[in-house]
Every structure is written in structure tokens, then in C-alpha cells.
Amino acid sequence: MNVVSLFANIGIGEAYLKSLGFDVVVANELEPRRVDIYRQIYPNTNMICGDITDKKVYSSIRKACEKQKIDVIMATPPCQGMSTAGKQDEFDVRNELFLYAVQLIKDVKPDYFIFENVPGFMTTYIKYNEEKRLIPDVIKELLRTTYSMSFNIIDTQDYGVPQSRSRMILLGTRRRVAHKWNMPESEPDVKTLEDAIGDLPILDPFVYDVSEEEMLKVFPNYKKREKAALKISPWHVPPHHILRQVITMQHTPTGCSAFDNEKYKPRKKNGEIVKGFHNTYSRQRWDVPAYTIAMSNNQISTQNSVHPGRYLGKDANGDDIYSDPRVFTVYELMRIMSIPDDWPIPTTVSKQYLRHIIGEGVPSLLIRKIFEQIQNG
């Protein structure tokens, strides 16, 4: 079956589709840098670079689709205008981008379509025909005569993804098609962070604000552990942190925030205690799915961004210390997002850039399980 991917980013959602028998024949993405990465990962896809709101770009997408028999259109429009993590500006123009996907559905007439976005998609208003309208109501008005639709608010942890991430999934089936596309059944056994990355050995952070000699006093096994990590994956590289944050997190137990430390609270360079929320400077837990991976996932000070760590014993002062006082590596983030270990990301991509992209993505395994429901028909 042939698929079109709109707002494709670098194709995280598409990672398993080829193995299922779905061929992404046309894709569109705005940013040239992402387009270049996508083309390297999916060289056989006709990736069209440009703004879908541009008439010439939209025409190119439509014409490319008309050359193929398109079975599925997948659209993952930007969510920053409606996300709780964004500014939530009323009538953010990005909130109207779904209309171009709807128009392509009307033009191409696939048997199925899927929209993926944040739950706020359901409660966001746009100006449509000079009226203030909810996005779902506009979609229903435009497509309900031709498609049956289901709007679903789900948590990815209910579908085998080792991450709690709330999403809106809209599935549409053309009314003349006998097999209706529905969400898979939720799964009773959730995958935990231990399931996702618990097999990986201890990895120390790289401390960049002190000399190598001073760093090796804190982490005498750093070089050996770094070498072992690189054998696992070129993306399993020690994150870079400053010493005072590392020391704070060394003394923060699994599942706790450093703000709970009596002795090792987060401090500024001048010694003042940092002010912040208790989900910052915070280690995740092994026994539950990971918290939502955000775009800013490279700093210890961001929300729930620190590796759970393992208890190591007492330090020279008799205080409890824990391993991995760092954020997740890119490779660990990939596992948490259920991206295949062998997904062929070009090694020339900046790790920082990839971190940002992963934080925007839709878990690969979720999309795989949703597309399997078409096959099951």
C-alpha cells in the first residue's frame, strides 16, 4: 500500500512501515535540513521540500500523488501552537496547517488517513469562514460525507511504547471501504524504562568545566565506559555537563529531585540555591514508563530529564551516591521513543539537532501498531 507523509520531519513515524509492506512514496517537509536527513534515510521516497501553504509546493505534492495509487495519507502537523508546552497563542497560524492535509485528502481520495497531534488539537479554535470554529468540527464538516472518522486521545504507554506521551489520533476510512480503520486494543502490560534501557551499562557524563585530571578523580572509569558505550552505538555518547550539577545528581536517588537533597541542593556558580520546580533536576524511575521526552532534553535542569541511575554505595564523606548523573544519551532517547536500533540515521547529523527532532517525534512503534490494523482487515 502506498503512503503519503505530510509534515514528515525526518520520518520517525515511518521507521517500521516498509517492513509492514507500506511504501511511503511521497513526503513533504518544510525545513531543508530535515529534508536532507529524510532523503538519506528514505532514498526511494519522493521527498518534496517546501511550505505546503505555497501553491506551487502544494501542486507538486498533489501531482506526485496523482502519479501513484495512494492508499493512506499520514499528517503530523506542527503542534507548538496548541501544545501545553508552547505559547498557546490564540489563532496561531500553524494551527491551520491541517487544512492543507484535508485538502489533499479531498483531492487524492485515499482509502485511509491519519492525523497525529497533541490532545489540545481537540479543543483548539481557528478562524474558518469568518467564524471561530473548533478544529475537529471543521474536519467533520469537510470530510464526513466521504469518510467515517474516529478521534482518539491516547497515551503511548498503552501501546508498548516505554514512554508516557499523550496524543490525539484521528483515523479516517473512506465510506466505500469495507474494513474500517480503528485503534488497536490497549495493552495491559506496560513497558518500563528498565525494559527500554536497563540492559545498558553505566555511563559517566563528560564534565567540561574542569580539567581531565579533575574529571577522572570523580569518574575514574570514564574512558573505559565511554569506549564500551561507543561499541553499542555511535549515538550512545556521554552527555556534557558542569561539575556542580553532576555532583548534585550523584547524590540524588532514583525517582527523586535534587531539590529534596538536604546537603547537595542545586546551586548557581556563586553558591546560591537554584529556584525551580521539583520535576527539574529530577531523576526518572526504572519501574514505570519514561516521562514524555521533550525537545529540550539535553540539560539536567529541565523537567524529568535525568537518567534513573543505580545505587553505588557511599562516597568518601559517607553519603549515598548513584550512577549516571546525566541526561539520557541520544541512543537511550531513541529506545524510549521506540525507534529501531538499526534505523539508518546519517552519522553526520548533529547530536544536539537530533535530540530536538526526537523530542518532536511520534513514537515509531505506536505508528507501526496503528498501521497493523489496516493489515488485519
Side-chain angles (χ1 to χ4, degrees):
M1 300 182 78
N2 290 337
V3 181
V4 176
S5 177
L6 302 178
F7 316 101
N9 201 319
I10 66 168
I12 292 174
E14 290 102 286
Y16 287 107
L17 294 188
K18 188 71 173 178
S19 65
L20 294 178
F22 292 93
D23 192 7
V24 181
V25 293
V26 180
N28 170 242
E29 168 56 39
L30 171 65
E31 294 188 11
R33 190 175 179 184
R34 299 183 184 198
V35 166
D36 180 62
I37 298 169
Y38 189 102
R39 286 172 174 164
Q40 292 182 69
I41 297 173
Y42 303 104
N44 296 322
T45 298
N46 180 6
M47 163 54 83
I48 298 170
C49 179
D51 186 346
I52 196 172
T53 67
D54 183 293
K55 289 182 180 180
K56 290 183 179 179
V57 174
Y58 180 84
S59 178
S60 295
I61 298 168
R62 178 175 54 78
K63 288 177 181 178
C65 292
E66 288 171 349
K67 293 179 180 179
Q68 314 262 1
K69 165 62 172 72
I70 301 301
D71 301 287
V72 189
I73 289 179
M74 177 168 64
T76 56
C79 65
Q80 288 89 340
M82 57 191 81
S83 171
T84 56
K87 293 182 179 180
Q88 295 180 292
D89 293 337
E90 187 173 27
F91 305 129
D92 187 315
V93 293
R94 291 173 294 185
N95 296 344
E96 300 177 8
L97 289 171
F98 77 92
L99 288 169
Y100 295 88
V102 169
Q103 186 59 50
L104 192 68
I105 292 167
K106 291 168 69 71
D107 289 341
V108 175
K109 301 178 179 59
D111 286 344
Y112 302 100
F113 70 83
I114 174 173
F115 283 75
E116 183 274 343
N117 216 290
V118 295
F121 189 90
M122 298 295 295
T123 55
T124 296
Y125 288 87
I126 65 167
K127 286 182 180 178
Y128 183 74
N129 288 341
E130 303 303 321
E131 295 181 7
K132 183 178 179 179
R133 302 282 301 278
L134 280 169
I135 289 176
D137 292 341
V138 175
I139 294 175
K140 290 173 186 175
E141 179 181 319
L142 293 171
L143 295 176
R144 64 187 169 195
T145 59
T146 313
Y147 290 87
S148 60
M149 292 171 277
S150 65
F151 292 82
N152 308 272
I153 303 297
I154 61 100
D155 191 322
T156 59
Q157 70 175 359
D158 295 327
Y159 299 91
V161 177
Q163 178 188 179
S164 177
R165 194 179 186 94
S166 296
R167 310 309 292 170
M168 187 290 305
I169 304 292
L170 163 58
L171 298 178
T173 307
R174 200 171 179 190
R175 292 192 181 277
R176 67 173 178 80
V177 175
H179 175 62
K180 186 177 179 181
W181 198 7
N182 290 310
M183 285 293 296
E185 294 290 329
S186 59
E187 302 172 12
D189 297 325
V190 300
K191 299 296 182 183
T192 66
L193 196 49
E194 179 80 50
D195 294 326
I197 64 170
D199 63 315
L200 300 176
I202 291 172
L203 180 61
D204 302 321
F206 177 83
V207 183
Y208 65 84
D209 63 334
V210 298
S211 67
E212 181 177 313
E213 182 181 1
E214 290 178 276
M215 183 181 76
L216 292 176
K217 287 180 181 177
V218 181
F219 299 113
N221 295 312
Y222 173 83
K223 291 187 176 180
K224 180 175 70 175
R225 289 170 174 169
E226 178 191 34
K227 186 177 180 180
L230 287 172
K231 286 183 178 180
I232 294 170
S233 168
W235 302 107
H236 197 40
V237 177
H240 291 207
H241 297 305
I242 56 177
L243 183 61
R244 65 177 183 275
Q245 290 186 337
V246 166
I247 297 299
T248 294
M249 298 316 302
Q250 268 192 312
H251 295 86
T252 300
T254 301
C256 296
S257 168
F259 287 110
D260 296 324
N261 290 340
E262 290 300 320
K263 185 176 178 182
Y264 295 95
K265 291 185 183 295
R267 294 182 181 276
K268 300 178 182 178
K269 191 173 183 179
N270 63 8
E272 291 181 14
I273 295 176
V274 172
K275 294 180 180 179
F277 297 102
H278 271 67
N279 60 355
T280 60
Y281 291 90
S282 182
R283 284 190 183 268
Q284 295 211 26
R285 291 169 51 186
W286 285 115
D287 60 342
V288 295
Y291 292 103
T292 301
I293 299 301
M295 289 183 288
S296 56
N297 54 58
N298 66 322
Q299 297 178 353
I300 284 173
S301 58
T302 52
Q303 296 180 359
N304 298 308
S305 62
V306 184
H307 189 284
R310 301 193 186 276
Y311 180 64
L312 296 177
K314 304 284 185 180
D315 64 10
N317 298 317
D319 298 318
D320 291 337
I321 59 169
Y322 297 79
S323 73
D324 301 277
R326 58 174 177 81
V327 298
F328 296 111
T329 67
V330 172
Y331 180 69
E332 289 166 338
L333 293 174
M334 289 171 61
R335 283 196 170 186
I336 293 168
M337 283 292 286
S338 67
I339 297 171
D341 281 358
D342 59 353
W343 199 47
I345 309 171
T347 54
T348 54
V349 177
S350 155
K351 293 178 179 60
Q352 183 57 37
Y353 188 60
L354 189 55
R355 281 181 174 277
H356 179 88
I357 289 172
I358 288 174
E360 284 186 349
V362 52
S364 308
L365 185 61
L366 174 67
I367 296 300
R368 171 184 170 176
K369 292 191 174 184
I370 293 173
F371 270 74
E372 284 175 344
Q373 298 307 299
I374 295 179
Q375 286 186 321
N376 292 343

